[in-house]
Coordinates of all heavy atoms in Angstrom, one line a residue:
R251 N -21.4 38.6 3.7 CA -22.1 39.2 4.9 C -21.1 39.9 5.8 O -21.4 40.9 6.4 CB -22.8 38.1 5.6 CG -23.7 38.5 6.8 CD -24.3 37.3 7.5 NE -25.2 37.8 8.6 CZ -26.5 37.8 8.5 NH1 -27.1 37.5 7.4 NH2 -27.2 38.2 9.5
L252 N -19.9 39.3 5.9 CA -18.9 40.0 6.8 C -18.4 41.3 6.3 O -17.8 42.1 7.0 CB -17.7 39.0 6.9 CG -18.0 37.7 7.7 CD1 -16.7 36.8 7.7 CD2 -18.4 38.1 9.2
G253 N -18.7 41.6 5.0 CA -18.3 42.9 4.5 C -19.4 44.0 4.5 O -19.2 45.1 4.1
V254 N -20.6 43.6 4.9 CA -21.8 44.5 4.7 C -21.7 45.7 5.7 O -22.3 46.8 5.4 CB -23.1 43.8 4.8 CG1 -23.3 42.8 3.8 CG2 -23.3 43.3 6.2
L255 N -21.0 45.6 6.8 CA -20.9 46.7 7.7 C -20.2 47.9 7.1 O -20.3 49.0 7.7 CB -20.3 46.3 9.0 CG -21.2 45.5 10.0 CD1 -20.4 45.1 11.3 CD2 -22.4 46.3 10.4
S256 N -19.5 47.7 6.1 CA -18.7 48.8 5.4 C -19.7 49.6 4.5 O -19.2 50.7 4.0 CB -17.6 48.3 4.6 OG -18.0 47.5 3.5
K257 N -20.9 49.1 4.3 CA -21.8 49.8 3.4 C -22.7 50.8 4.1 O -23.1 50.6 5.2 CB -22.6 48.7 2.6 CG -21.7 47.8 1.8 CD -22.5 46.8 1.0 CE -21.6 45.9 0.2 NZ -22.4 45.0 -0.7
T258 N -23.0 51.8 3.3 CA -23.9 52.9 3.8 C -23.7 53.3 5.2 O -22.6 53.5 5.6 CB -25.4 52.4 3.6 OG1 -25.6 51.3 4.5 CG2 -25.7 52.0 2.2
G259 N -24.7 53.4 6.0 CA -24.6 53.9 7.4 C -24.3 52.8 8.4 O -24.1 53.0 9.6
A260 N -24.2 51.5 7.9 CA -23.9 50.4 8.8 C -22.6 50.5 9.5 O -22.4 50.0 10.6 CB -24.0 49.1 8.0
A261 N -21.6 51.2 8.9 CA -20.3 51.4 9.5 C -20.4 52.1 10.8 O -19.5 51.9 11.7 CB -19.4 52.2 8.5
D262 N -21.4 52.8 11.1 CA -21.6 53.5 12.4 C -21.8 52.5 13.5 O -21.8 52.9 14.7 CB -22.7 54.5 12.3 CG -22.4 55.6 11.3 OD1 -21.3 55.9 11.1 OD2 -23.4 56.2 10.8
L263 N -22.1 51.3 13.2 CA -22.4 50.3 14.2 C -21.1 49.8 14.8 O -21.1 49.1 15.9 CB -23.1 49.1 13.6 CG -24.5 49.3 13.0 CD1 -25.1 48.1 12.4 CD2 -25.4 49.8 14.1
F264 N -19.9 50.1 14.2 CA -18.6 49.7 14.8 C -18.4 50.5 16.1 O -18.6 51.7 16.2 CB -17.5 50.0 13.8 CG -17.3 48.9 12.8 CD1 -18.1 48.9 11.6 CD2 -16.5 47.9 13.0 CE1 -17.9 48.0 10.6 CE2 -16.3 46.9 12.0 CZ -17.0 46.9 10.8
P265 N -17.9 49.8 17.1 CA -17.5 50.5 18.3 C -16.2 51.3 18.1 O -15.5 51.0 17.1 CB -17.2 49.3 19.3 CG -16.9 48.2 18.5 CD -17.7 48.3 17.2
P266 N -16.0 52.4 18.9 CA -14.8 53.2 18.7 C -13.5 52.4 18.7 O -13.4 51.5 19.6 CB -14.9 54.2 19.8 CG -16.4 54.2 20.2 CD -16.9 52.8 20.0
G267 N -12.6 52.7 17.8 CA -11.3 52.1 17.9 C -11.2 50.8 17.1 O -10.1 50.3 16.9

Side-chain angles (χ1 to χ4, degrees):
R251 187 183 183 100
L252 291 174
V254 299
L255 281 179
S256 64
K257 298 185 177 183
T258 64
D262 295 333
L263 297 175
F264 278 86

